[in-house]
Amino acid sequence: AEDYDASVHEEGSLPFSIGDDDFYDEKTAGDDDDDAEDIIKRLHSSDTFDTMMTQSTSDRDVSERKLPEDTFSFLIYADVFSPPFLWGIIVFLFQISIYIILGLSIIDLGCENKGTGWKIDIVCKETKNPVDFPFNVSVPVRISEAIAILISIITQDDVRKAICLYRDGFDEGGLTQVFPGATLWKWTLSIVLRASEGALGLVITFLLIMRSKTVLELLLNFSAIGFITKLDDTVFELASEGFLGRKLKRKSKKMSNQSYSVSKENANSYNATKVSIAYFVALFVAFFAGYGIIFRNQNKGKYLCAQIFSQLGDEALPMLGTFTGLFYRQTGKATRFGGRSSYRGAGVDDQERGPLLAYCTDETRWTLSLPKDEMNTLKWDPCNWLAASSETE
């Protein structure tokens, strides 16, 4: 017994391992009480004692994990209403609030009304574009959209972290021994909030990408939304550097330095691999399917105005003034010229014989033309025009 006590005093260590040397990291004067309390709880736990005494035989059955270094991890083990827990809730609410504001500014939930006063233009329902996707975009923008979607899926780590936590499961024999305040409901809360914030961020990112009309606009939107999605990581870094108080610094440092054990059966199983693969496959399929649908609708002109108003002067040609009025977009392949939709004027009995607004590819300009009675509209050439715009792409 005397030899045993001497060895303890000489080496300054316990006769068995607590499981983490990080309890004895560098501390400030106010840190000792909280850490000592955690150690006492762990030593007095029968599960902890059994875990420590059988550590050498159980190492082959567990894998080491660390909690993600963001404010959502505070929710797992911090006391309710404590500063770390409240910071986790505040950051989540701030992120969600920004996403909601962006969503309301992006999506027009009201009915598009072309009429005045009490008059409602029914045609507007056919061209409703609540997200305000552009009518069409150039090839460089199209390629940039695909690249931005790919990057956003890969770099969105909040949903991925939530899936990893759920995959590993809540193991009381591992997580609660290192973080005594961890409970099942707080672990579940952290996963739900983390996943919902990440998923909503991905949706808003996708909408902003597809609404962009130029490469520069796309990059600006992509960069702005990236800052919001990383806000939980940024706040955690501020906490670990002491900018948010000593207690948050202590909690964040402790979380960064400590790891916990999870069952290898859960972490490395075939089902766990399937969950990880299914996550990326589901996101790629969903977002690129949306990308394809929007691309197809843009090519078909579904985001174009169903009707336009044209004001024509009669200075050069007196008869042009009679064509002033509404022009209606035509549908079908036969009514597209140069890959662009065409418009027929109103006020005539036969819309197919009315004045035509169409694109002349040879002269790269929009033209107004009149078909002759003997001519078939399928063979009509908009380059035989009465009036034309300046050259345009």
Side-chain angles (χ1 to χ4, degrees):
E2 293 178 357
D3 294 339
Y4 171 80
D5 292 337
S7 64
V8 171
H9 289 294
E10 289 176 1
E11 298 181 10
S13 61
L14 293 173
F16 47 81
S17 172
I18 293 179
D20 250 313
D21 294 334
D22 296 320
F23 277 104
Y24 304 101
D25 279 345
E26 181 178 342
K27 301 179 177 62
T28 59
D31 298 345
D32 294 330
D33 293 340
D34 290 340
D35 288 347
E37 183 178 349
D38 289 343
I39 296 174
I40 293 174
K41 288 181 179 179
R42 294 172 64 187
L43 290 176
H44 286 183
S45 171
S46 59
D47 293 337
T48 303
F49 183 80
D50 293 340
T51 301
M52 292 185 294
M53 297 303 294
T54 60
Q55 185 177 7
S56 59
T57 61
S58 62
D59 282 347
R60 63 178 180 271
D61 299 325
V62 298
S63 295
E64 292 297 317
R65 290 285 190 271
K66 284 191 175 184
L67 289 177
E69 296 186 3
D70 54 33
T71 54
F72 290 107
S73 294
F74 287 147
L75 304 178
I76 296 178
Y77 69 93
D79 295 333
V80 180
F81 302 121
S82 65
F85 190 92
L86 293 178
W87 268 108
I89 297 295
I90 290 172
V91 172
F92 167 76
L93 293 177
F94 187 77
Q95 290 175 302
I96 294 297
S97 298
I98 296 178
Y99 290 147
I100 292 176
I101 293 173
L102 285 174
L104 293 177
S105 64
I106 291 173
I107 303 174
D108 181 13
L109 299 178
C111 179
E112 185 181 1
N113 183 12
K114 296 290 185 179
T116 57
W118 294 97
K119 183 180 179 181
I120 298 178
D121 192 342
I122 303 300
V123 181
C124 72
K125 293 182 179 179
E126 299 179 1
T127 59
K128 187 175 181 181
N129 183 11
V131 188
D132 193 25
F133 293 125
F135 303 146
N136 208 347
V137 294
S138 61
V139 175
V141 176
R142 187 78 63 195
I143 296 174
S144 299
E145 287 175 344
I147 296 174
I149 292 173
L150 177 65
I151 295 175
S152 64
I153 293 175
I154 295 175
T155 58
Q156 172 49 253
D157 57 353
D158 286 328
V159 179
R160 188 174 69 250
K161 291 174 182 177
I163 291 177
C164 290
L165 285 173
Y166 177 77
R167 177 196 64 191
D168 293 340
F170 182 78
D171 188 358
E172 293 187 0
L175 182 62
T176 57
Q177 302 304 326
V178 181
F179 301 99
T183 60
L184 179 60
W185 77 266
K186 288 193 288 185
W187 174 80
T188 304
L189 176 66
S190 174
I191 291 178
V192 171
L193 297 188
R194 191 194 306 271
S196 59
E197 180 273 325
L200 183 58
L202 275 175
V203 173
I204 296 298
T205 301
F206 174 78
L207 295 179
L208 286 174
I209 289 173
M210 299 308 298
R211 290 179 80 253
S212 302
K213 298 178 177 65
T214 64
V215 175
L216 178 60
E217 182 181 355
L218 188 152
L219 291 176
L220 291 175
N221 290 335
F222 187 71
S223 300
I225 204 71
F227 167 77
I228 301 172
T229 59
K230 296 295 183 182
L231 187 60
D232 52 304
D233 302 320
T234 303
V235 174
F236 181 86
E237 291 179 3
L238 292 175
S240 64
E241 294 170 359
F243 288 99
L244 301 181
R246 191 173 60 184
K247 187 169 185 178
L248 261 74
K249 178 181 179 180
R250 183 168 65 252
K251 288 286 186 181
S252 59
K253 287 289 187 182
K254 178 180 177 181
M255 187 175 72
S256 299
N257 293 332
Q258 295 192 33
S259 60
Y260 64 97
S261 300
V262 297
S263 170
K264 283 186 177 180
E265 182 179 357
N266 293 335
N268 302 324
S269 66
Y270 178 67
N271 290 333
T273 303
K274 289 196 299 184
V275 169
S276 302
I277 295 176
Y279 160 71
F280 284 105
V281 171
L283 286 183
F284 279 117
V285 170
F287 281 88
F288 278 100
Y291 172 84
I293 292 173
I294 295 172
F295 186 14
R296 184 193 62 184
N297 289 342
Q298 288 174 331
N299 284 338
K300 289 186 175 182
K302 290 191 175 182
Y303 300 135
L304 291 171
C305 298
Q307 61 184 33
I308 60 175
F309 180 82
S310 177
Q311 177 70 49
L312 301 171
D314 55 2
E315 293 83 2
L317 191 63
M319 67 176 298
L320 289 179
T322 62
F323 301 136
T324 296
L326 291 175
F327 284 72
Y328 295 89
R329 184 171 67 86
Q330 300 197 108
T331 58
K333 294 182 178 179
T335 61
R336 294 177 65 86
F337 300 91
R340 294 167 170 81
S341 296
S342 61
Y343 290 80
R344 288 285 183 182
V348 293
D349 295 335
D350 187 358
Q351 284 286 312
E352 293 184 355
R353 299 295 178 182
L356 175 70
L357 277 176
Y359 188 76
C360 174
T361 306
D362 295 339
E363 301 183 24
T364 63
R365 64 177 69 195
W366 286 88
T367 66
L368 174 69
S369 55
L370 285 175
K372 298 179 181 180
D373 293 340
E374 66 273 11
M375 297 188 67
N376 190 317
T377 55
L378 296 177
K379 299 179 180 179
W380 180 245
D381 182 11
C383 294
N384 185 15
W385 47 265
L386 295 175
S389 68
S390 58
E391 292 187 4
T392 177
E393 297 181 359

